[in-house]
Amino acid sequence: MYLSSKEERTLQGEEGEALSFAMKILVNLGDLEGAEGLIPVTSAHVSGVSYHTAGEALIKLLEELNEKGAKVSIPSSLNPAGMDLRRWKEIGYPDDFAEKQLRIIDLYKGLGLNMTCSCIPYETPDIVLPVGLGDHISWGESNAVIYANSMIGARTNREGGISCLASAILGKTPNWGMHLDENRAPDLEVRVKGEMEPIHYDLLGAYVGKNFNSSIPVFNGVRIDSDNGSLKHLGAAMAAKGGIPLYHVDGLTPEMTKGLVDKDGIDERIDVSAFGLWKMKKELYPDPEKEVNTYVLGCPQFGRAEFARLHAAMKGKKVKKGKRILVYTSRGLRNLLPEGRVEDLENAGIEVYDDTCMVVSPLARLGMERVGTDSGKAAHYIPKMSGIEAELVPLEVIVDRCTK
Ligand code: F3S
């Protein structure tokens, strides 16, 4: 990979150990991916925050970076942690876990990152990270990556925790993959037939992610009159089941509406319908063998649209004894909600937590044996991350099952 003489000097350590460390990581990555050089990025979103997923190795790395005096040089934010950082005791997190998690947060703080632990920085751009069409960014967390690329038209590869942290420190990333025009045009057309409910977008994402893993899809026939969170779920499920970093929607996503990509390279076309997707549900998400009593919502973390939907579904209802509904969001997002929204839900028996989510929390250590969720991404990852069964259930059905 080509390096300018200043970059070369940084690599050799003339600007200090921390920048040299970050440069080494990015040069190795760039060489591996065939990048021609480095480009500046306007923001970094760092994944790898939960002690449940990252463990001791992360603590060691962050301690070393703090010792070297590393600091982020661009606006940089953090993905969810393994627990609600304020209410962990009342929820029942073990002390040993909490101690490690708080240590990680302290170490990130030392590096200068924004402490809003969120996987939806795109919903709180003024609070967490500014991002716009055409911005080159370095984001980890696959739902944030696919949303930023697709719905905003920013440009990022699916970065790992270490490479986005290196970019946060250096303010640069290797120029390859999604940063290049030629890799952003669709090669698969997905024609959506008929009416789709929100849950069908999770199934659609899972189906396309699983079966067209290396494609850039363009969807047409998608009718989203108002943002109800469905496209967040579509992207999250697609990125979870496959490695897809970008999709387009005819008439909606900015690179299509502004004519920045064309459809000349499409070499495959498929038709999908809500009915067909529902028939595939058991194959994509096997049902648990026993009844589910605990339901976890907010993967990606709950935004304004999802809160509005749940609030409407819960009107006049209360969670009944023996059932639980837990919602995960970020503090930044919570602050943008209409007054009383969270309080109404809490008064109805719903538990609303910040800073974390059901995938990066140690659910089994919290006593959960199986859960239901309205998220295709969460239903995919919970069995892998916590070793417990997860059922994919539409949000309104969850409310029906849990309320009186
Ligand atoms: Fe976000 Fe956790 Fe899902 S980080 S996308 S809520 S797995």
Side-chain angles (χ1 to χ4, degrees), residues 302-376:
F302 248 36
R304 276 174 281 204
E306 298 95 318
F307 270 111
R309 208 174 131 214
L310 181 60
H311 194 257
M314 285 296 296
K315 202 162 188 333
K317 299 176 180 166
K318 283 211 183 296
V319 176
K320 60 190 176 195
K321 203 160 173 255
K323 301 285 183 190
R324 289 179 77 190
I325 301 178
L326 288 74
V327 169
Y328 300 95
T329 189
S330 80
R331 291 186 211 181
L333 192 286
R334 182 191 277 254
N335 292 337
L336 299 179
L337 293 172
E339 211 181 314
R341 181 131 299 172
V342 171
E343 289 73 13
D344 287 351
L345 292 173
E346 287 177 335
N347 289 337
I350 289 181
E351 302 162 54
V352 183
Y353 299 120
D354 298 327
D355 313 320
T356 186
C357 79
M358 65 291 255
V359 172
V360 300
S361 281
L363 297 188
R365 289 193 76 183
L366 295 172
M368 297 183 199
E369 291 176 350
R370 68 193 65 79
V371 294
T373 178
D374 70 333
S375 160

Side-chain angles (χ1 to χ4, degrees), residues 79-80 119 141 143 236 298-301 356-360 377-378 381:
N79 220 38
C119 64
E141 211 314 291
N143 110 79
C299 174
Q301 284 177 325
T356 186
C357 79
M358 65 291 255
V359 172
V360 300
K377 175 170 178 174
Y381 277 123

Side-chain angles (χ1 to χ4, degrees), residues 220-231:
N220 65 42
V222 169
R223 288 194 292 274
I224 302 279
D225 302 331
S226 61
D227 174 21
N228 61 7
S230 294
L231 292 175

Side-chain angles (χ1 to χ4, degrees), residues 51 56 59 95-105:
Y51 182 67
E56 290 296 320
I59 295 181
D95 285 352
D96 63 318
F97 181 90
E99 191 188 311
K100 300 285 189 183
Q101 185 62 72
L102 293 172
R103 174 80 180 131
I104 289 172
I105 293 298

